[in-house]
Amino acid sequence: MRFLSVVLLFLFVLAISACDEKQTPQEYTTTDKIDARDTLSIAKPTNLKPKIGLTPQAREGVANWPLYRDLSAAIDSLQVPTLGVLKKEIKRFDNLYVAKEEAEEAEVQVAPQETLSNAIRARLITIETKVKVLKNEAFLNEPNAVTLSQQIGDLINAYQDLNLQLNEAFNTSFEDLLEEIKLEKEQPDEELEEENEPQ
């Protein structure tokens, strides 16, 4: 009987000590689970407008505008091969708009005065809307690669419209812009001709 009471006492102490030990939670890795849909290939958009770059005046005017700088980086990152990569890149836009809202709440003037026009605000709202539409499609249970490609093209085109509006805001006429685009297109052709000439 004494042996049985010692064993029971030992088991009781063991059970109590096990309860006192703090269980450390299992550490989860920060890597996202890979979903089979994330390997869905996305073709390059076929609905792109000709690229419109900023003129030197506009480039100088937006040089210290964090929203435009971050937006440009996010747009440039949209050349994505798969849905999984697109989902990660969409998070850049989320961070961008969170920072924009924080700046607006703090009433901090971070945009150049020339960019406060209704036309530029409308372009920025259009881009934000296109981002939300793209995000909604990307996170559907069954996203469509063709639709995603089309929406990426629409978003890039909206960004081109913003560039056009910024060029106009910084006193670049539409005619000057067309002349600059024409010169940019002729420049690569001239470089090719020079390379192909026999020496």
Side-chain angles (χ1 to χ4, degrees):
M1 183 68 130
R2 188 159 172 88
F3 178 73
L4 182 59
S5 61
V6 170
V7 170
L8 286 175
L9 181 62
F10 176 74
L11 289 175
F12 180 72
V13 170
L14 184 64
I16 296 282
S17 66
C19 291
D20 288 340
E21 288 181 20
K22 302 231 179 203
Q23 295 285 333
T24 57
Q26 281 186 331
E27 303 230 357
Y28 294 100
T29 59
T30 57
T31 58
D32 296 332
K33 291 182 180 178
I34 296 177
D35 190 350
R37 292 176 295 229
D38 288 350
T39 60
L40 178 70
S41 293
I42 301 173
K44 185 177 179 183
T46 57
N47 60 330
L48 294 177
K49 294 179 182 177
K51 185 174 181 180
I52 299 174
L54 292 179
T55 60
Q57 300 94 333
R59 219 174 292 122
E60 183 180 318
V62 298
N64 295 323
W65 187 18
L67 176 66
Y68 182 80
R69 185 179 54 244
D70 296 343
L71 180 62
S72 295
I75 292 290
D76 291 342
S77 72
L78 285 179
Q79 304 302 325
V80 295
T82 64
L83 178 62
V85 176
L86 176 63
K87 287 179 178 179
K88 288 178 184 174
E89 294 303 328
I90 287 177
K91 291 177 185 178
R92 293 179 96 173
F93 287 100
D94 291 340
N95 296 337
L96 172 80
Y97 289 115
V98 166
K100 177 185 172 212
E101 288 176 14
E102 289 173 354
E104 288 173 354
E105 287 175 5
E107 296 179 7
V108 176
Q109 176 75 24
V110 292
Q113 189 65 34
E114 293 86 348
T115 64
L116 299 178
S117 71
N118 287 338
I120 291 177
R121 286 183 183 162
R123 299 300 185 271
L124 290 171
I125 290 170
T126 301
I127 290 171
E128 187 173 0
T129 303
K130 302 276 184 198
V131 168
K132 289 178 181 178
V133 169
L134 177 62
K135 182 177 179 180
N136 287 341
E137 179 67 28
F139 286 94
L140 285 176
N141 284 335
E142 294 185 27
N144 184 323
V146 174
T147 305
L148 286 170
S149 177
Q150 175 78 28
Q151 290 173 347
I152 289 171
D154 291 346
L155 177 57
I156 293 171
N157 288 340
Y159 174 73
Q160 297 302 331
D161 292 343
L162 173 66
N163 282 346
L164 179 62
Q165 201 66 47
L166 286 170
N167 286 333
E168 290 179 13
F170 287 97
N171 296 328
T172 305
S173 70
F174 187 69
E175 291 79 23
D176 293 343
L177 185 60
L178 286 176
E179 186 63 32
E180 187 172 316
I181 291 172
K182 186 178 177 182
L183 289 173
E184 284 179 5
K185 285 186 177 183
E186 290 174 357
Q187 216 171 22
D189 293 339
E190 291 172 2
E191 290 174 2
L192 279 174
E193 288 174 7
E194 290 175 5
E195 289 176 5
N196 291 334
E197 287 181 5
Q199 295 181 6

